[in-house]
Amino acid sequence: MIIENNIQLAQYTTFRIGGRALYFCVVKNEDELVEAVGFSKKNKIPIFILGGGSNILVSDNGFTGIVIKMEIMGKEYIEKAKENADEVKVIVGAGENWDSLVEETVEKKLYGLENLSYIPGTVGATPIQNIGAYGSEAKDTIESVYVLDIKKDEYKVIKNIDCDFSYRDSMFKKEKNRYVIISVTFILNKNGKLNLEYEDLKNIKNPSLKKVREAVIDIRKRKLPDIKEYGTAGSFFKNLIVSHSKAKELLSLFPDMILHEVNDKKAKIPLAWILDHVCGFRGVRIGDVGIYKNQALVIVNYGNAKAEDINNLAQKMSKAVYEKTGINIEPEVQFVV
Ligand code: NAP
């Protein structure tokens, strides 16, 4: 395995932003991963695991450690026997492209991942964020996650129940830099049920796995910028989950505000609605940075924006939301410094 020096990171991120990594390597198997982790320990430098680079903002000053680009591949479909004959176990290498996996499972007529279509990034990143969309979350299909525990220098299989999954969160996010995800095992179904509870999917005629995937791709293409054309990391901030009393207070200020019940204590509020209708940010552009015209949660690099420009705009957005609503918004994008 080759460990390179001073590698420009902008080329590895969908934001197309970021300085140089002091060290950089690509790992294609577990031995190479162990070698790269050993290098970081020997030189007492931090590690950053890079997947698809689709949810990160790398500092203009780069990263003074080793960036390990995860390219451990492989897909294995295992039919379950007897009483679980409906289930298929799918073991997938962390470096595999997420949407290619979703496409393949839909083609194989396996239920479970279709609502998570067209999300950029790698399979290894999906448990970290517990990615979710249109009523489905990664945790609904993940059976277990196979990792290298850097702290203890041992391999582990972490079962779903022990991953501490919650809304866009997991133990892997809480204990950053401890676990390197090597592969993820999903359980999919041959005779599953489509999840059409979200408004955007309710009107699909004669719904099928393929049609749900097509509908999700269509919505995402309409709402989100094409990463081939623009630099972006998708939604920059997390959507809001607030108490019912806070939701009531906001509704009295903004009667048209959209609201989704979570349970008897909490409600979800689309932050994009607030950024658009309350703060007027949708479509705003300052030099090479801007807020996407079709989705106010998305910050765009229109050319040669720096991480600092993105941060300045994000801070402006946070301040405006706080002043209008009293809510502190949280970035969904991970900062690499
Ligand atoms: P959206 O569809 O406008 O929804 C905005 C907010 O309203 C989200 O918090 C969503 O909850 C909630 N919501 C909408 N319909 C709902 C329903 N029928 N029941 C309960 N809650 C409902 O959001 P968007 O920003 O354009 O994103 C589309 C989808 O992609 C959303 O599901 C969003 O969460 C997802 N997404 C995921 C990631 C990620 O995993 N990293 C990043 C960006 C967007 P949910 O968030 O629970 O769906």
Side-chain angles (χ1 to χ4, degrees):
M1 184 189 59
I2 302 163
I3 298 180
E4 295 175 280
N5 261 127
N6 280 325
I7 297 297
Q8 186 65 251
L9 291 174
Q11 62 184 314
Y12 293 108
T13 77
T14 58
F15 245 140
R16 300 181 202 158
I17 289 176
R20 291 175 185 276
L22 183 57
Y23 296 104
F24 180 95
C25 65
V26 174
V27 301
K28 293 192 181 286
N29 55 51
E30 289 174 34
D31 290 344
E32 290 181 349
L33 175 61
V34 169
E35 194 184 330
V37 170
F39 181 88
S40 86
K41 288 193 172 174
K42 195 172 141 219
N43 291 287
K44 298 192 174 56
I45 51 169
I47 290 175
F48 178 73
I49 306 290
L50 177 69
S54 57
N55 200 36
I56 56 173
L57 180 61
V58 178
S59 154
D60 299 319
N61 298 324
F63 180 70
T64 49
I66 179 165
V67 170
I68 302 176
K69 185 162 189 312
M70 174 54 68
E71 287 192 10
I72 297 180
M73 305 303 212
K75 281 189 221 126
E76 194 184 351
Y77 289 80
I78 303 167
E79 302 262 341
K80 290 244 195 144
K82 290 180 188 150
E83 67 271 21
N84 293 328
D86 178 42
E87 294 181 350
V88 175
K89 193 189 262 219
V90 192
I91 306 169
V92 192
E96 291 284 350
N97 176 272
W98 171 255
D99 195 51
S100 303
L101 171 70
V102 178
E103 184 182 28
E104 190 173 287
T105 60
V106 167
E107 267 165 20
K108 286 179 184 285
K109 297 199 170 47
L110 295 173
Y111 289 72
L113 305 182
E114 58 282 1
N115 289 29
L116 304 176
S117 288
Y118 215 58
I119 295 177
T122 53
V123 168
T126 58
I128 302 175
Q129 171 91 335
N130 179 25
I131 60 162
Y134 310 107
S136 294
E137 290 181 287
K139 75 169 175 55
D140 304 335
T141 47
I142 289 175
E143 182 208 58
S144 61
V145 182
Y146 176 53
V147 300
L148 175 64
D149 179 344
I150 294 178
K151 198 165 150 189
K152 295 198 167 166
D153 271 328
E154 62 187 28
Y155 293 107
K156 280 182 185 160
V157 174
I158 303 177
K159 293 219 162 74
N160 179 309
I161 192 145
D162 299 318
C163 292
D164 201 13
F165 286 127
S166 60
Y167 188 69
R168 308 292 178 266
D169 205 1
S170 71
M171 65 176 278
F172 309 109
K173 207 167 166 182
K174 289 181 195 115
E175 284 204 70
K176 252 190 200 158
N177 302 329
R178 173 165 177 186
Y179 301 102
V180 183
I181 295 172
I182 297 169
S183 68
V184 184
T185 300
F186 300 88
I187 300 286
L188 305 181
N189 287 82
K190 289 188 209 163
N191 297 300
K193 207 170 154 274
L194 295 171
N195 178 350
L196 305 170
E197 71 188 73
Y198 270 41
E199 213 50 48
D200 286 327
L201 304 183
K202 270 185 185 145
N203 298 325
I204 301 174
K205 280 192 193 123
N206 305 319
S208 63
L209 276 173
K210 197 164 166 268
K211 283 192 179 171
V212 170
R213 175 167 164 79
E214 282 166 2
V216 171
I217 292 176
D218 187 53
I219 302 160
R220 293 187 71 98
K221 278 190 173 165
R222 252 187 294 124
K223 276 181 146 181
L224 302 170
D226 182 353
I227 54 173
K228 287 188 205 100
E229 205 175 324
Y230 302 104
T232 182
S235 297
F236 195 90
F237 296 101
K238 290 184 192 169
N239 270 304
L240 303 173
I241 299 185
V242 300
S243 65
H244 275 295
S245 61
K246 184 70 192 175
K248 215 168 143 194
E249 177 198 320
L250 292 173
L251 267 180
S252 69
L253 291 170
F254 317 113
D256 298 337
M257 188 182 78
I258 301 162
L259 193 96
H260 300 281
E261 301 283 331
V262 176
N263 53 37
D264 54 354
K265 291 194 178 71
K266 304 266 182 195
K268 273 188 260 177
I269 297 174
L271 178 56
W273 192 89
I274 296 199
L275 288 166
D276 180 6
H277 294 87
V278 178
C279 305
F281 275 121
R282 186 157 63 90
V284 165
R285 180 170 171 175
I286 310 160
D288 269 352
V289 294
I291 295 151
Y292 193 55
K293 62 181 190 315
N294 295 345
Q295 168 52 294
L297 265 186
V298 176
I299 297 184
V300 178
N301 168 13
Y302 287 104
N304 295 310
K306 300 270 172 223
E308 197 188 348
D309 303 325
I310 304 283
N311 275 323
N312 288 342
L313 177 60
Q315 274 170 26
K316 220 175 249 180
M317 294 163 81
S318 303
K319 191 163 171 271
V321 173
Y322 185 76
E323 281 169 4
K324 300 274 190 191
T325 66
I327 295 172
N328 278 311
I329 59 176
E330 281 176 53
E332 185 189 292
V333 164
Q334 208 190 324
F335 296 92
V336 183
V337 287

